[in-house]
Amino acid sequence: MPRRATKRGAERTRIDADADVLICGASFAGLAVARELAGSGARVLMVDRYEVGERQASACGIPTLWLEAMGLMGAHQQTFGELLVHAPRGEVRLRLPWTFSTFDYRSLCAGLRDQGDAEFETATVEGVTRSPGAHVVHTDRGDVRAPLVVDALGWRRVLGDGPNVQPPDATLSRGLEVHPAGRGDELELWIDRGLVAAGYGWSFPAGDEVRVGVGSFDPRFHVKAPTVRLAEGERREAVRFQGNWIPHRIRPAAEGAVFFAGDSAGHCLPTTAEGIRTALYFGLACGREVRAVVDGRSDRADALARYGAFSAAHRWKFEWMLRVQRLVPRLAGRPLRPTLRAVGVAPVTRWAFDHYLEIAHPRFVGVAVGPGAVTVRRRERVAA
């Protein structure tokens, strides 16, 4: 279980600080924002209830091209060029047009943090008082004032307007996995109503451990028993549980003069529940717009408008993925195998997965910095 890292005793001093930029949340999206502010000369403060890299909350898999583009291959654990999909009436092996890799969460967060120069404090963010000038963000250790505030805290959207809708009524999926020691060579998915009515199971080998889990698109469906059953069926020990709520609907990325990135903006792809590369992608976009304000090339209102429009321009892609998600339970019976066989034809696989990668392509890492950060400098795609 993760250790709560909020400072205690003599170390638990009050925070009463002023910053140029306050980033709330120190996982993928927050660290990507901080990366874009490195060397700006601004005082950038990042706060999170846990230490950086302390609390892994996903299976930690990503297209290898993203690790390469971000200079984070030091966190790499294992690479796969195929996806084995299990269905009740057989299995289909998909050869991917690009490789997919698992990575070590703590190492990746440390590497990403080293690319920025933000200060860091452990504190629980509780809310915000907005103003035309500097917002006041309230934490369990005191207040922080900053004109530029980013909420990268996750699905709770702590700094958003109005009360949050909580599970099981929120548009969230539920995921749980175990981390037994062991090795494996296959990246695997299970689509089976006998395992989960609407969702899938997975097995992601990662060096000396295998991450086995089950996700349900319906938050009312508990997934502990299916996770244990899947692990035991694969002769893996059901140990070191880790779970999380996963947003499956995109939300406004700019609201109340606050920037939102990652799960707080619903930047997690429906159907696949892939949220790491999208968190990095939108975190970079957010950081570049914030950087433009810090550098005096923009003002807060324009940066919020540009970033909000950039995120909103992707809404149709997320909504299409949500439509596919809603089809999965209908395909889990007789139509599933012919559907998988059709997708398994090499040209179809290549077309489908290349379009999927385009939703948040690693070439975006090389975008020109500045206002209007959606202008992408094309790069030759690295051959997988």
Side-chain angles (χ1 to χ4, degrees):
M1 295 295 290
R3 177 180 59 85
R4 179 70 179 273
T6 301
K7 294 180 178 178
R8 294 179 171 85
E11 291 185 337
R12 189 175 170 76
T13 57
R14 283 190 60 78
I15 297 177
D16 184 11
D18 293 276
D20 298 307
V21 182
L22 175 63
I23 303 170
C24 303
S27 192
F28 306 112
L31 290 168
V33 174
R35 174 189 189 268
E36 296 304 296
L37 295 166
S40 67
R43 185 186 181 191
V44 181
L45 178 61
M46 179 181 295
V47 297
D48 194 292
R49 64 186 295 191
Y50 296 105
E51 292 285 356
V52 177
E54 182 183 355
R55 187 176 181 270
Q56 180 177 330
S58 78
C60 291
I62 193 171
T64 312
L65 292 168
W66 264 96
L67 291 180
E68 294 171 344
M70 294 289 291
L72 296 172
M73 283 298 288
H76 169 270
Q77 290 178 305
Q78 204 163 335
T79 296
F80 308 90
E82 296 180 333
L83 174 64
L84 180 60
V85 183
H86 301 273
R89 299 177 182 271
E91 59 187 38
V92 176
R93 186 179 298 275
L94 307 179
R95 178 151 183 85
L96 305 176
W98 36 266
T99 61
F100 192 84
S101 291
T102 49
F103 61 86
D104 179 72
Y105 178 70
R106 188 178 292 271
S107 298
L108 185 136
C109 288
L112 193 51
R113 184 182 182 183
D114 287 344
Q115 294 179 16
D117 53 18
E119 302 172 41
F120 177 78
E121 288 284 355
T122 54
T124 299
V125 175
E126 298 173 337
V128 61
T129 300
R130 301 183 181 90
S131 77
H135 301 318
V136 181
V137 173
H138 312 292
T139 80
D140 65 343
R141 293 180 56 202
D143 293 341
V144 180
R145 293 164 295 278
L148 298 167
V149 174
V150 178
D151 181 334
L153 290 165
W155 65 268
R156 289 181 176 83
R157 198 175 170 93
V158 176
L159 304 184
D161 290 337
N164 247 308
V165 180
Q166 299 294 311
D169 300 317
T171 52
L172 299 169
S173 298
R174 181 196 291 265
L176 182 70
E177 67 181 13
V178 292
H179 290 198
R183 302 189 69 85
D185 298 318
E186 299 274 18
L187 186 69
E188 300 177 80
L189 290 181
W190 284 262
I191 304 176
D192 185 348
R193 286 178 180 167
L195 180 67
V196 56
Y200 57 89
W202 65 84
S203 176
F204 284 13
D208 293 327
E209 74 173 17
V210 181
R211 299 160 187 164
V212 180
V214 172
S216 171
F217 302 142
D218 184 345
R220 296 168 297 183
F221 187 93
H222 293 268
V223 291
K224 182 173 182 179
T227 299
V228 172
R229 189 163 69 251
L230 178 59
E232 292 177 345
E234 292 300 296
R235 298 181 181 179
R236 305 288 186 184
E237 191 177 3
V239 294
R240 294 195 290 161
F241 284 84
Q242 159 192 298
N244 201 13
W245 295 105
I246 306 161
H248 57 237
R249 184 151 233 169
I250 196 167
R251 304 177 71 177
E255 179 182 82
V258 173
F259 298 84
F260 296 84
D263 283 2
S264 68
H267 290 149
C268 185
L269 294 173
T271 306
T272 63
E274 190 190 359
I276 297 169
R277 69 179 167 111
T278 46
L280 294 173
Y281 176 80
F282 287 101
L284 294 175
C286 179
R288 288 163 185 168
E289 294 299 347
V290 172
R291 178 65 180 257
V293 181
V294 168
D295 290 348
R297 293 178 283 115
S298 181
D299 61 29
R300 185 174 74 182
D302 286 345
L304 283 160
R306 272 193 304 271
Y307 174 63
F310 173 72
S311 178
H314 292 72
R315 179 179 296 276
W316 69 272
K317 303 174 186 179
F318 282 72
E319 291 296 325
W320 267 107
M321 292 295 293
L322 184 58
R323 292 181 187 181
V324 175
Q325 175 175 304
R326 290 168 176 164
L327 279 174
V328 170
R330 301 178 188 178
L331 294 175
R334 287 182 179 273
L336 179 59
R337 182 164 173 76
T339 300
L340 290 174
R341 290 181 68 88
V343 174
V345 176
V348 179
T349 303
R350 188 178 307 111
W351 177 88
F353 279 87
D354 278 346
H355 277 73
Y356 177 67
L357 184 64
E358 284 290 342
I359 296 172
H361 199 283
R363 76 169 70 91
F364 189 72
V365 179
V367 75
V369 177
V374 297
T375 304
V376 177
R377 183 173 70 243
R378 299 288 297 186
R379 286 183 170 183
E380 182 179 352
R381 186 166 72 91
V382 179

